[in-house]
Amino acid sequence: MVIKNVSLDIVCGVTSKIPETGRPEVAFAGKSNVGKSSLINGLMNRKALARTSAQPGKTQTINFYNINDFMYLVDLPGYGFAKVGIAEKQKWGKMIERYLNTSKDLKAVFLLIDIRHDPSANDKQMYEWILSNGYEPIIIATKSDKLKRSQLPKHVKMIKEGLGLRPGGVIIPFSAETKQGRDEIWALIDDLTTRGTTDGDN
């Protein structure tokens, strides 16, 4: 997709009603500090529209980024940060679940996992949770530039086995630094968002 214009259109808090955007949406979930904001900025060709934070667990809203007035990239709150209180975690969990359950325009959920490490208990729980909400998560293995190219297959296998990835599940290694995986992710998003439409503008 050629990015002509992007903007942060909607910020949805804990008590907000989930918006009906009327446009295709793809959502991004991931543990705090897994590189979600860096990925979204990389996809949008922007340096700092999605705010990266040195303080994990900072994103407490669902943010809708409008791409070309055609679709939305949806940034879900990061999970699994220990210093955030249980009550706060439960609120975010309910907010994410409400979004997954009620969005009429959600086409896919991308789940970000740090390629350097085995999936955590929180990662596994999120994977199962997305499945239970009726979506087959597409796995983005972030920070791939931190490994040697020869190590990538071994670590992709580690994530696949750690999550218990279902047959046919997709894992895309991604680096915000080198942009590895960016074109592959956009190709998938293009396919998901234009499927069943006749709009040739994107």
Side-chain angles (χ1 to χ4, degrees):
M1 182 178 288
V2 178
I3 310 287
K4 294 171 186 166
N5 54 72
V6 300
S7 60
L8 174 55
D9 263 18
I10 304 162
V11 177
C12 192
V14 173
T15 57
S16 307
K17 184 176 183 289
I18 301 296
E20 287 186 30
T21 64
R23 291 181 179 139
E25 298 165 11
V26 293
F28 296 86
K31 199 163 54 179
S32 300
N33 271 14
V34 75
K36 195 152 47 67
S37 298
S38 298
L39 166 71
I40 291 171
N41 283 326
L43 290 175
M44 296 189 297
N45 282 338
R46 297 296 186 274
K47 283 195 174 161
L49 190 56
R51 281 169 302 212
T52 55
S53 173
Q55 189 180 340
K58 194 81 178 157
T59 307
Q60 301 178 21
T61 52
I62 300 176
N63 297 332
F64 290 73
Y65 294 95
N66 181 337
I67 309 292
N68 294 348
D69 289 326
F70 167 71
M71 62 160 295
Y72 284 98
L73 298 183
V74 181
D75 185 6
L76 301 174
Y79 58 83
F81 185 57
K83 285 187 185 171
V84 176
I86 290 170
E88 204 64 23
K89 283 181 188 169
Q90 285 174 342
K91 276 187 207 166
W92 298 354
K94 282 180 184 157
M95 179 164 65
I96 295 170
E97 189 167 33
R98 205 153 43 89
Y99 171 68
L100 295 179
N101 282 333
T102 62
S103 173
K104 294 176 181 170
D105 303 297
L106 182 59
K107 303 299 180 189
V109 182
F110 290 85
L111 177 61
L112 280 64
I113 310 278
D114 188 328
I115 198 167
R116 298 170 297 176
H117 310 298
D118 275 313
S120 67
N122 278 316
D123 290 330
K124 293 175 194 174
Q125 192 177 8
M126 193 68 181
Y127 176 71
E128 293 295 335
W129 194 38
I130 295 167
L131 281 173
S132 71
N133 277 281
Y135 295 92
E136 184 79 44
I138 298 158
I139 309 302
I140 299 179
T142 61
K143 311 193 182 189
S144 65
D145 57 287
K146 307 290 186 195
L147 298 176
K148 291 177 184 166
R149 191 169 283 277
S150 60
Q151 295 175 298
L152 291 177
K154 176 187 163 195
H155 283 254
V156 165
K157 187 179 178 203
M158 183 174 83
I159 290 174
K160 197 177 280 189
E161 290 173 353
L163 289 176
L165 199 68
R166 299 210 307 199
V170 176
I171 298 181
I172 303 173
F174 174 79
S175 163
E177 297 296 320
T178 67
K179 303 294 183 280
Q180 178 194 3
R182 182 184 185 276
D183 291 346
E184 206 177 333
I185 294 165
W186 263 124
L188 254 178
I189 291 173
D190 280 344
D191 184 48
L192 290 160
T193 54
T194 57
R195 202 179 286 164
T197 71
T198 54
D199 188 345
D201 292 339
N202 55 85

